[in-house]
Amino acid sequence: MIVRKLEELKGTDAEFKAAKGTWTSRRMLLAKDKMGFSFHDTLIHAGTETYIHYANHLEAVYCVGGKGELQDLDNGVTYPLYDGVMYALNGHERHYLRAEEELRMICVFNPPLTGREDHDENGVYPLLTEED
Ligand code: 9YT
């Protein structure tokens, strides 16, 4: 069994801040844990906009705090985000995340992240494995 506490991840490599500064991901389970998915507690910082395209991953996200919106660029629909809203990117949809107030998002990725991934200029995470 694996038990981890958010307070213990703070200040370690598992607390990953995006180069663009719009989000911070506390990566609680990673590829090395051999669960088949990774599990993150992510903060999308207030007043930011992030363009994302997970071309190589599936992601489900559950908002547990804050206020913002998700814009699906593939169908043009914008969804409000607040505590209790879940979305799953089952079609690699290009999207924007906008945070009016800091959003707290619980995320899972398949395949699992290794912990070093950040968005490139196209909003994509590279497909890394533990061997990379
Ligand atoms: C919800 C979302 O995609 N936020 C960007 C960061 C990502 N979830 C991560 O790496 O934790």
Side-chain angles (χ1 to χ4, degrees):
M1 188 185 296
I2 301 168
V3 177
R4 291 189 180 132
K5 300 173 194 160
L6 186 58
E7 67 215 49
E8 292 170 353
L9 300 186
K10 288 184 180 161
T12 72
D13 285 351
E15 186 177 48
F16 186 91
K17 189 160 175 103
K20 288 189 177 141
T22 59
W23 51 265
T24 303
S25 178
R26 289 81 62 90
R27 295 176 167 167
M28 305 192 86
L29 286 172
L30 290 165
K32 65 177 163 47
D33 297 310
K34 308 280 184 221
M35 292 290 291
F37 55 87
S38 58
F39 181 93
H40 318 173
D41 180 334
T42 300
L43 300 174
I44 313 291
H45 302 304
T48 65
E49 175 182 85
T50 307
Y51 172 73
I52 300 174
H53 178 209
Y54 292 125
N56 302 309
H57 298 86
L58 300 173
E59 185 197 26
V61 181
Y62 185 51
C63 180
V64 296
K67 197 171 157 194
E69 66 180 26
L70 160 72
Q71 183 181 8
D72 180 342
L73 297 173
D74 288 1
N75 67 8
V77 178
T78 298
Y79 307 88
L81 293 174
Y82 53 87
D83 182 10
V85 179
M86 187 282 304
Y87 64 89
L89 301 165
N90 59 343
H92 304 283
E93 293 88 347
R94 292 168 173 80
H95 59 287
Y96 275 110
L97 280 181
R98 300 187 186 96
E100 190 178 321
E101 296 167 8
E102 182 171 80
L103 289 163
R104 187 171 181 199
M105 315 278 256
I106 308 303
C107 323
V108 290
F109 278 80
N110 169 23
L113 301 195
T114 65
R116 303 183 299 280
E117 292 84 352
D118 197 356
H119 296 134
D120 68 12
E121 64 281 6
N122 299 312
V124 175
Y125 281 166
L127 189 57
L128 301 178
T129 64
E130 269 306 282
E131 289 70 48
D132 292 322

